[in-house]
């Protein structure tokens, strides 16, 4: 996300909130070379985090150990980092890179890369396949300023499908977010809109920057800069039809990445901005 993050009001708010007690537990500082972490995924069997950075950074994923040390850098030889915004895995441990950052809603090259689990032990890996996709509802590139719904920074894989949660960049932000579904299969697809919901009307507090589903599939957590939007008690993949609650983190920073460590615990990472952030946190729901 290549833009100035904090407006003057937010800087003041951030300075104040940094002095309060937070429900977040800081686990460690992220490696210094990773200043723009945009997504994380977690492997419980090794207690390892895999992460990536967004536009302007390398076409690589990074393994971080339980102490926050950079354990491995894996360059993806056949993938271009246009704007990598999230990373997730399936039940088999294959990793997926979401190259769908779309700040200006102009892109026609949105895609997801699959990195097979057996590639994760290599320094130079290759994507097994690429899924190119588009949004049928978008007919202008860019659309009108009040209809800029087609940026995404959060997704996960469930049951052979990807679920993408849009980041609203519309003029007159009202918290509207769309949910799109894409089949996990090589080739070109049209994303299917399965629903929409609202958070709040304050962009700095309610814009969505990451998405994750619990290991048991019963909770979906969506991240913003200072809260979690939580869905529970849904049927199938109609997440927005379940119970929607907001959980305050009591901590404001440029949070860009979240993943469930277990069914009741989140790992959250923020970018380093103005000497603030650049950490991995734990949060108990």
């Amino acid at each position: 996300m290549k833009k100035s993050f904090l407006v003057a009001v937010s800087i003041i708010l951030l300075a104040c909130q940094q002095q309060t007690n937070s429900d977040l537990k800081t686990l460690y500082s992220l490696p210094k070379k990773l200043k723009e972490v945009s997504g994380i995924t977690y492997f419980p069997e090794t207690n390892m985090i895999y992460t990536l950075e967004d536009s302007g950074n390398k076409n690589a994923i990074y393994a971080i150990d339980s102490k926050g040390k950079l354990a491995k850098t894996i360059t993806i030889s056949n993938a271009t980092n246009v704007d990598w915004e999230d990373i997730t895995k399936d039940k088999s441990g294959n990793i997926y890179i979401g190259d769908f950052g779309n700040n200006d809603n102009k892109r026609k090259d949105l895609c997801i890369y699959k990195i097979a689990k057996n590639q994760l032990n290599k320094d130079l890996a290759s994507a097994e396949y690429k899924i190119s996709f588009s949004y049928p509802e978008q007919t202008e590139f860019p659309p009108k300023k009040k209809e800029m719904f087609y940026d995404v920074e959060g997704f996960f894989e469930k049951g052979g499908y990807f679920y993408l949660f849009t980041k609203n960049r519309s003029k007159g932000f009202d918290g509207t977010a769309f949910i799109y579904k894409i089949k996990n299969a090589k080739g070109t697809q049209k994303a299917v809109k399965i629903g929409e919901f609202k958070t709040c009307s304050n962009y700095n507090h309610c814009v969505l920057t990451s998405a994750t589903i619990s290991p048991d599939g019963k909770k979906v957590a969506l991240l913003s800069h200072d809260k979690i939007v939580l869905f529970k008690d849904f049927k199938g993949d109609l997440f927005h039809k379940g119970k929607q609650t907001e959980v305050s983190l009591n901590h404001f920073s440029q949070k860009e990445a979240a993943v469930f460590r277990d069914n009741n615990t989140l790992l959250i990472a923020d970018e380093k901005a103005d000497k603030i952030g650049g950490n991995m946190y734990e949060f108990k729901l």
Side-chain angles (χ1 to χ4, degrees), residues 27-95:
L27 297 180
Y28 50 77
S29 295
L30 292 164
K32 289 183 179 179
K33 69 174 292 183
L34 301 181
K35 292 182 171 60
E36 295 186 318
V37 165
S38 60
I40 56 175
T41 192
Y42 176 65
F43 283 76
E45 60 270 26
T46 58
N47 201 19
M48 197 81 75
I49 291 285
Y50 286 80
T51 187
L52 42 67
E53 296 185 287
D54 57 16
S55 61
N57 292 289
K58 294 180 179 179
N59 54 315
I61 55 179
Y62 306 91
I64 301 173
D65 68 21
S66 60
K67 296 182 179 180
K69 303 300 181 184
L70 183 59
K72 194 172 188 61
T73 298
I74 306 164
T75 300
I76 311 302
S77 62
N78 58 343
T80 301
N81 187 346
V82 178
D83 195 359
W84 293 4
E85 284 291 358
D86 206 0
I87 185 170
T88 192
K89 66 181 181 71
D90 60 23
K91 293 290 188 182
S92 299
N94 303 302
I95 275 181

Side-chain angles (χ1 to χ4, degrees), residues 22-32 34-43 47-53 62-71 86-87 210 212 223 249 251 253-261 265-272 276-284:
S22 173
D23 294 322
L24 287 179
K25 175 184 177 182
T26 303
L27 297 180
Y28 50 77
S29 295
L30 292 164
K32 289 183 179 179
L34 301 181
K35 292 182 171 60
E36 295 186 318
V37 165
S38 60
I40 56 175
T41 192
Y42 176 65
F43 283 76
N47 201 19
M48 197 81 75
I49 291 285
Y50 286 80
T51 187
L52 42 67
E53 296 185 287
Y62 306 91
I64 301 173
D65 68 21
S66 60
K67 296 182 179 180
K69 303 300 181 184
L70 183 59
D86 206 0
I87 185 170
S210 190
T212 181
L223 181 67
L249 298 174
H251 179 280
S253 66
Q254 191 169 348
K255 297 176 184 68
E256 295 282 335
V259 68
F260 275 96
R261 168 178 266 175
T265 308
L266 288 168
L267 297 172
I268 296 171
D270 54 7
E271 289 190 12
K272 187 131 186 159
I276 294 166
N279 299 315
M280 185 72 68
Y281 308 92
E282 179 183 87
F283 184 76
K284 298 284 188 181

Side-chain angles (χ1 to χ4, degrees), residues 7 9 111 145 180 215 221 257-259 268:
V7 295
V9 173
C111 64
K145 290 185 178 180
Y180 279 98
V259 68
I268 296 171

